[in-house]
Amino acid sequence: RRESPRGPRKALGAQRRQLSREELVNRVFDILDGDCDGNLSRAELKRYAGWSGFGGTEEQWVLEFSRICAETKASESVGVDRSLFAKLINDRTEVGLFIDNDGLRDMLTQLQIQTPQHLQRKSQKAAATVSEASRRDFLRAIFKLCDVDRDGLLDAKEMQAFAVRTGAADMDKTQWKEEFEILCADNGADPSRGISVQLLEKMVNDKSESGCYCDDDELRAIKGALELEGREVAMRAAAYSPERTALVHEVFRMFDTDGDGRLGEQELRAFAEHLGFKGSEAQWAEEFRSICMQGGAGSEPVPPDANRFLVLVNDTAESGWYCTDEELRRMLEDGPAAARPRPAEAPPRPMSS
């Protein structure tokens, strides 16, 4: 029998990943939900609001909570449920309560320190009950995300999408082919056909040396990573559609106030302020030069033209300027001078590398 390039199947679950945004949101919600009723009351949500920038009085918070419930059609007496909480946290507009991942991690750490142990255990017990009920759903959702050709089986390439998120990321194509064949052989599957959802479920629940056990946190992280990747693929596919390209060019023309076909320093800054840039003149001058150098063919900085601007607003990387269609349309409605900055916790996206 051949040995796995990385040892037993246990290697697939050996690497712990950083918590996904979805998992951070869920953990923060579980701690805030002190009575474990699945909703955040006004008092429970206030603990979070302070982290997202709210610094008003109790009377002001009463009004703010009423506004949130009214705008989201939530009941003040019931409170904010998990899905609405996630929506608010991810909403960068003035309506939302956005906090970036670093802020969520800091908040989770502080909440764990501040929350009494008996309440933490109560929340953890409630979360575990939900987790046990939804573990199979998580697995089936993960399988569906990996099963690109929708044939009901994971071939070597599709299974690798799962494996790389459980510690097998350093395997090359040949190594993974061997590992996949061993996985199939150990579990009675035909490597030429692939792994079924039932077999994947068996493998990730198997805590033995021949299993690929993943705990609930790992499954949530895997699902979140696969969903994020799927969204990014979809965004890239749609980024250069005729409709979006026309929308981006319309935004470009609006900010190109002198009509010279390029965005000068102040014209591009007006756009950047819509994305939350609040730096000084010196900081913007440095940032603008960096952007211009990236678009230049030689050593001289070149202000972005319409094509370069299209690349910038379609860039989904951390250092990119990606804007949704909704954000672009809002800019057109507001006009170039009416910048609507994101909350302070959301870092400005135009950043030098």
Side-chain angles (χ1 to χ4, degrees):
R1 150 190 173 95
R2 292 169 297 172
E3 290 298 322
S4 164
R6 298 192 61 207
R9 297 305 79 64
K10 196 71 173 177
L12 293 180
Q15 181 174 316
R16 299 285 173 174
R17 295 165 304 281
Q18 192 176 56
L19 296 181
S20 68
R21 182 169 180 82
E22 180 184 11
E23 186 175 0
L24 285 168
V25 170
N26 282 326
R27 289 195 178 190
V28 168
F29 182 92
D30 287 336
I31 294 180
L32 291 175
D33 184 20
D35 56 9
C36 299
D37 67 347
N39 294 284
L40 300 184
S41 65
R42 184 174 65 208
E44 289 170 336
L45 188 62
K46 186 182 178 184
R47 295 184 68 192
Y48 170 84
W51 283 80
S52 65
F54 180 81
T57 63
E58 180 63 32
E59 291 74 16
Q60 289 172 323
W61 172 242
V62 170
L63 294 175
E64 179 66 11
F65 184 76
S66 296
R67 178 194 66 80
I68 291 171
C69 291
E71 293 184 355
T72 59
K73 295 181 172 57
S75 167
E76 287 190 52
S77 60
V78 174
V80 173
D81 64 18
R82 189 182 298 269
S83 61
L84 177 54
F85 180 67
K87 182 179 179 181
L88 289 169
I89 282 188
N90 291 322
D91 187 348
R92 294 173 181 264
T93 69
E94 294 175 349
V95 177
L97 299 170
F98 181 82
I99 290 184
D100 63 21
N101 287 358
D102 289 338
L104 282 174
R105 291 187 190 96
D106 291 343
M107 182 181 184
L108 179 60
T109 299
Q110 291 301 316
L111 285 172
Q112 289 171 332
I113 293 172
Q114 297 168 5
T115 303
Q117 287 298 313
H118 72 281
L119 289 181
Q120 285 194 38
R121 286 194 296 271
K122 186 178 179 183
S123 293
Q124 289 165 359
K125 182 177 180 181
T129 302
V130 173
S131 177
E132 289 170 9
S134 62
R135 181 175 173 86
R136 176 169 292 183
D137 292 335
F138 268 115
L139 286 168
R140 293 183 180 275
I142 289 169
F143 184 92
K144 186 175 181 180
L145 289 165
C146 293
D147 185 19
V148 177
D149 60 10
R150 298 291 184 264
D151 67 347
L153 294 166
L154 301 185
D155 59 24
K157 184 177 180 180
E158 292 169 335
M159 184 63 184
Q160 190 173 21
F162 174 82
V164 294
R165 290 168 178 83
T166 61
D170 59 348
M171 289 188 187
D172 60 28
K173 186 176 181 179
T174 301
Q175 287 178 318
W176 172 248
K177 183 175 182 295
E178 294 179 355
E179 176 71 8
F180 181 73
E181 289 175 353
I182 296 172
L183 277 171
C184 290
D186 283 352
N187 291 279
D190 181 353
S192 66
R193 297 192 63 221
I195 293 174
S196 67
V197 64
Q198 292 83 5
L199 180 54
L200 180 67
E201 185 175 348
K202 173 180 175 292
M203 291 163 61
V204 298
N205 287 329
D206 186 352
K207 295 184 179 181
S208 73
E209 285 298 308
S210 61
C212 305
Y213 181 76
C214 296
D215 62 28
D216 292 349
D217 288 344
E218 289 176 313
L219 290 178
R220 287 193 187 92
I222 292 170
K223 180 174 178 286
L226 289 169
E227 288 174 336
L228 178 60
E229 181 180 310
R231 286 194 294 270
E232 289 177 346
V233 169
M235 282 194 298
R236 286 194 294 270
Y240 293 95
S241 67
E243 295 79 9
R244 180 174 170 83
T245 299
L247 178 61
V248 172
H249 284 168
E250 187 177 357
V251 171
F252 176 88
R253 288 191 295 272
M254 180 182 73
F255 285 100
D256 182 22
T257 54
D258 61 9
D260 68 348
R262 293 187 181 277
L263 297 185
E265 185 170 348
Q266 294 308 312
E267 292 170 331
L268 191 60
R269 178 166 186 168
F271 173 78
E273 287 175 349
H274 273 271
L275 302 183
F277 181 80
K278 298 178 181 178
S280 66
E281 292 290 337
Q283 289 173 322
W284 175 248
E286 181 181 352
E287 179 61 33
F288 180 72
R289 179 175 175 79
S290 173
I291 294 298
C292 292
M293 290 299 294
Q294 293 172 25
S299 58
E300 290 299 315
V302 178
D305 59 11
N307 290 331
R308 171 63 179 155
F309 183 72
L310 178 64
V311 172
L312 287 173
V313 299
N314 285 336
D315 186 354
T316 59
E318 283 293 323
S319 59
W321 296 35
Y322 182 81
C323 296
T324 65
D325 290 357
E326 181 183 352
E327 288 175 313
L328 293 171
R329 293 190 186 97
R330 188 183 302 128
M331 290 181 196
L332 291 173
E333 293 173 1
D334 292 346
R340 184 183 296 181
R342 292 179 170 84
E345 289 76 13
R349 284 184 278 184
M351 294 295 289
S352 302
S353 56

